[in-house]
Amino acid sequence: MMNRLTKISFASKVVIPVALLAISCAKYKSTSIDPGTVTPTLSTTEVTLKSMPFPMGAAVNVSLLKSNTNYRNLVIKEFNSVTAENAMKFASVHPSKDTYTWSDADYLVDFAVANGKRVHGHTLNWYKSLPDWVNNFQGTTAEWENLLKTHIQTVVGHFKGKVASWDVVNEAVNEDGTMRPSIWLQKLGVDYIGRAFQYAHEADPNALLFYNDYGHEFGPTKRTAILNLVTDLKNKGIPIDGVGLQMHTRVTQSDANLSAAITTAAATGLKIHISEIDISLNPDNLQTMTYTTALGEQQAAKYKAIVKAYNAIPKSQQYGITQWNVTDADSWIPSNYNRPDWPLPFDAQYQRKAAYQGILDGVK
């Protein structure tokens, strides 16, 4: 109810002055006196996330994009960048050794082109979402290398000129700062990371290439390991353009940690993409929790703090902020953790929550 009242009050503040100005302009235009005076152009465009001073994106579920008009219209209205939630992951596009399945990923790219949106590709290399043929692959080191290279170059090559940027390697660092013992590390050693970037760059020299991970805001242990990794790649001349901070965070995380995550990443000089943001309200998995106005305001304050810290880094490094999923109804969190939660700026009815205004307030 409060949100509705706020909206009405905001609308009335905007509509009345605009209406008065429109009347006054119409009155002025009807006279032929002083034809040299320029009548100011009035903008009645509604403020949306697309009005932010850097790109705002969402990770999109292609099935919902195809089948749910409310979902599709919200993506068109609010965002100027899209990421494939699952449609570009290894298992989705490369289900068997000699088979690539492009339909969902192509659909998303075509949708983005038709609606003037940037596409961020996710992800070329990850330890999860691998098809059985990769998990069971018995090849030599050279054959594993060929598998990695062929997959990356086929996918990037397919979307060359259409996908602006890629998460090349995703989540290669453990919470304790060690390298994650993924199948890629086991078969190819730690240098597979740098080679993945080189292969992607060869396939599309114009695409911007990111290392993407979560947990920068947990504290210095994982964060330092990630920053050391990307700095080392940069110093070796590996074609890395940016760092993705997933920012799957919670309302209880301190503003100091959130700010430190952003500012330390920016100190690398690379572009910074807050790539998967959502802010959980129920990290303790309370099964009886319900959404309240007070919780909504806490969440809004947290979104504002993150946006404010991000807006303070150099403009040339601001690649944008992307939320993971579009509304609370399609968020991965409630199903993944089997709990009620409301992590996004839009509720299950596609309406803006307090968090939405928090995002806008972060750049004021």
Side-chain angles (χ1 to χ4, degrees):
M1 186 68 178
M2 276 188 69
N3 283 351
R4 220 164 119 209
L5 289 172
T6 308
K7 274 191 214 158
I8 292 164
S9 143
F10 175 74
S12 63
K13 284 178 190 167
V14 172
V15 170
I16 292 164
V18 168
L20 289 172
L21 277 164
I23 292 162
S24 125
C25 287
K27 187 176 170 188
Y28 180 78
K29 279 182 184 166
S30 66
T31 126
S32 58
I33 299 166
D34 189 16
T37 303
V38 178
T39 306
T41 304
L42 292 171
S43 173
T44 55
T45 308
E46 181 187 5
V47 173
T48 67
L49 293 180
K50 288 193 287 191
S51 313
M52 294 284 279
F54 39 74
M56 292 293 290
V60 175
N61 177 310
V62 175
S63 296
L64 289 173
L65 197 65
K66 290 177 178 178
S67 65
N68 186 319
T69 306
N70 289 330
Y71 182 96
R72 183 186 183 93
N73 289 343
L74 189 65
V75 174
I76 291 170
K77 177 182 178 180
E78 294 285 355
F79 302 104
N80 41 28
S81 180
V82 290
T83 299
E85 181 189 7
N86 293 310
M88 293 183 185
K89 288 174 180 171
F90 205 131
S92 299
V93 292
H94 197 176
S96 60
K97 188 172 187 294
D98 300 312
T99 304
Y100 288 85
T101 308
W102 303 114
S103 55
D104 278 1
D106 281 346
Y107 183 93
L108 179 60
V109 170
D110 291 345
F111 164 82
V113 170
N115 291 283
K117 302 189 188 305
R118 179 182 79 186
V119 183
H120 178 70
H122 177 84
T123 173
L124 297 172
N125 178 275
W126 191 28
Y127 72 101
K128 287 184 179 177
S129 206
L130 294 174
D132 289 343
W133 76 268
V134 173
N135 287 322
N136 299 328
F137 190 68
Q138 296 297 316
T140 63
T141 301
E143 288 168 330
W144 271 99
E145 190 70 35
N146 183 60
L147 187 163
L148 176 72
K149 180 178 182 177
T150 302
H151 174 78
I152 289 173
Q153 297 203 324
T154 303
V155 175
V156 175
H158 179 81
F159 295 108
K160 184 177 180 179
K162 296 178 180 177
V163 171
S165 51
W166 286 96
D167 290 330
V168 177
V169 177
N170 193 52
E171 301 176 1
V173 177
N174 274 326
E175 269 75 353
D176 64 1
T178 60
M179 297 308 296
R180 187 182 297 282
S182 67
I183 200 165
W184 307 108
L185 186 74
Q186 291 167 26
K187 302 296 182 182
L188 295 171
V190 71
D191 287 342
Y192 84 88
I193 297 173
R195 293 197 299 278
F197 278 87
Q198 288 170 324
Y199 297 148
H201 181 68
E202 288 167 11
D204 186 355
N206 294 319
L208 296 174
L209 306 180
F210 286 75
Y211 174 77
N212 191 55
D213 216 327
Y214 65 89
H216 293 75
E217 74 279 13
F218 294 174
T221 305
K222 182 170 185 176
R223 176 168 70 233
T224 302
I226 293 168
L227 299 180
N228 287 344
L229 171 64
V230 298
T231 301
D232 183 55
L233 292 172
K234 186 181 171 187
N235 290 343
K236 285 178 177 172
I238 301 293
I240 180 171
D241 299 288
V243 186
L245 282 66
Q246 291 184 13
M247 208 63 84
H248 292 296
T249 194
R250 49 186 60 188
V251 75
T252 51
Q253 183 57 266
S254 73
D255 289 357
N257 279 352
L258 294 165
S259 179
I262 294 164
T263 55
T264 55
T268 63
L270 296 166
K271 292 185 184 297
I272 305 302
H273 183 200
I274 294 183
S275 56
E276 306 186 16
I277 192 171
D278 43 39
I279 301 179
S280 166
L281 291 177
N282 188 13
D284 295 327
N285 296 305
L286 302 175
Q287 295 302 313
T288 56
M289 181 179 272
T290 55
Y291 183 82
T292 63
T293 303
L295 276 175
E297 293 299 334
Q298 286 177 45
Q299 186 180 53
K302 206 56 66 174
Y303 269 105
K304 179 181 177 179
I306 291 169
V307 172
K308 187 174 182 180
Y310 186 76
N311 196 43
I313 70 173
K315 287 289 165 199
S316 61
Q317 290 179 259
Q318 293 174 359
Y319 196 63
I321 296 178
T322 296
Q323 60 181 59
W324 204 251
N325 308 112
V326 177
T327 75
D328 288 341
D330 56 283
S331 169
W332 68 289
I333 288 177
S335 58
N336 193 70
Y337 293 103
N338 188 30
R339 73 187 190 213
D341 215 325
W342 310 266
L344 292 169
F346 299 93
D347 68 21
Q349 285 72 47
Y350 304 90
Q351 300 301 305
R352 297 169 177 179
K353 291 159 55 188
Y356 186 97
Q357 188 61 45
I359 292 169
L360 298 181
D361 289 346
V363 297
K364 287 182 178 172

